[in-house]
Amino acid sequence: MAQELHRATARVLDILECLSASSDGMTLTELAQALGAPKSSLFPIVHTLEERQYLQQHFGTTRYTIGPSSMVLGTAYAANSGMAAFIDVIKKVVATCQETCQFGVLDQGNVLYIAKEDSPEAIRMISKVGNRLPANATAIGKALLSGLSNSEVRALYPDGLPRLTDHTITNMDVLLDGLDAIRRGDIATEREESTPQLACWALPLCRGGKVFAALSVSVPLFRCEPKKISLIYHSLQEAKTKMEQLAEMQNFAI
């Protein structure tokens, strides 16, 4: 039986996660609405986090955003987990493909993006480290879900599969068929399932026979030519081999 979460600690983390996903910040009222909690209970937590600089309130506004102390924690994670070597591989993928590359892990039924490198192209995917998206709607999410059994995937979505666009797969049987193909060695793909006019390819990363993360490359549809797709596939395969070797050597775990 799972141990019950400590409510006060969970609330602190809810606040940090909510604000980390907001590019413009949030007022206390907006935060209370997003979390379904009274402002009176959130205010002392937000005030304490602001005093410790895990949050900051922008001058002249009432909007809170993530503060510098949170960045210190993130930097410490990147350094202590061996992420620097993985980021070097991600940069090499981008240098080769000239497209945005993202590294993510599974967080319940979502992808949590923990590293990325932007394409140098003027028109490119816009994403953010710390964002979460439904795993069923993304190539990288499908790559991650392929590491679970079909029953485990079903358990993640008791209320059905979330929809982001008209192209998002919301039929569980269709999703599971796709995951079976990935388990057999196919590359994970999506086309306008998470974002209009965007396609993505991804591969799961394994350590000790288990999927621990996944790597993806995202491309605007107008650049999805056969030569580009082939380049992405080979770059992801090379990166997968390198990252899995690094994971074994560094005893990497997320």
Side-chain angles (χ1 to χ4, degrees):
M1 185 168 135
Q3 186 174 356
E4 186 176 351
L5 295 179
H6 186 254
R7 288 186 62 186
T9 305
R11 182 65 77 199
V12 171
L13 297 175
D14 287 342
I15 292 169
L16 291 171
E17 290 176 358
C18 191
L19 288 174
S20 70
S22 173
S23 57
D24 298 324
M26 303 175 76
T27 65
L28 185 62
T29 298
E30 291 170 338
L31 194 57
Q33 291 172 344
L35 297 178
K39 289 196 294 183
S40 58
S41 68
L42 292 185
F43 178 74
I45 302 174
V46 169
H47 177 69
T48 301
L49 289 171
E50 183 185 11
E51 286 293 309
R52 298 286 291 268
Q53 298 189 64
Y54 287 96
L55 300 181
Q56 58 185 4
Q57 190 174 39
H58 283 257
F59 202 68
T61 77
T62 59
R63 306 188 78 80
Y64 292 94
T65 60
I66 293 296
S69 291
S70 295
M71 182 187 70
V72 171
L73 291 181
T75 302
Y77 166 75
N80 295 335
S81 67
M83 276 299 296
F86 285 79
I87 291 171
D88 286 342
V89 178
I90 292 170
K91 288 181 177 180
K92 184 178 179 182
V93 172
V94 176
T96 301
C97 299
Q98 299 291 289
E99 303 294 349
T100 298
C101 182
Q102 299 183 106
F103 181 85
V105 298
L106 193 62
D107 179 20
Q108 299 299 317
N110 298 313
V111 181
L112 170 60
Y113 294 94
I114 61 174
K116 68 143 190 172
E117 183 73 14
D118 284 328
S119 164
E121 298 282 357
I123 300 176
R124 61 183 185 268
M125 177 186 185
I126 301 299
S127 62
K128 179 182 173 185
V129 170
N131 276 0
R132 288 174 172 81
L133 287 177
N136 64 292
T138 66
I140 192 171
K142 294 173 192 174
L144 291 165
L145 291 174
S146 71
L148 303 180
S149 68
N150 285 354
S151 60
E152 287 173 326
V153 175
R154 290 184 186 276
L156 287 176
Y157 303 102
D159 299 320
L161 297 173
R163 180 188 295 276
L164 294 183
T165 75
D166 290 341
H167 299 280
T168 303
I169 294 174
T170 55
N171 182 299
M172 180 61 76
D173 291 333
V174 173
L175 176 65
L176 295 179
D177 285 345
L179 298 184
D180 285 339
I182 298 169
R183 293 172 189 133
R184 293 193 300 268
D186 284 2
I187 193 167
T189 65
E190 66 110 334
R191 188 181 181 93
E192 296 190 285
E193 293 175 41
S194 62
T195 306
Q197 299 300 312
L198 195 75
C200 190
W201 290 263
L203 286 174
L205 304 176
C206 300
R207 176 178 174 271
K210 295 185 179 296
V211 175
F212 69 89
L215 191 69
S216 71
V217 172
S218 301
V219 190
L221 290 185
F222 73 88
R223 288 204 295 270
C224 289
E225 301 171 349
K227 185 176 179 181
K228 169 75 77 171
I229 295 170
S230 177
L231 183 62
I232 289 169
Y233 180 81
H234 290 296
S235 295
L236 282 173
Q237 287 285 6
E238 289 181 2
K240 172 181 169 70
T241 299
K242 180 62 176 176
M243 285 185 161
E244 289 178 344
Q245 290 172 346
L246 285 169
E248 292 291 345
M249 289 188 296
Q250 298 179 2
N251 198 28
F252 183 82
I254 295 177

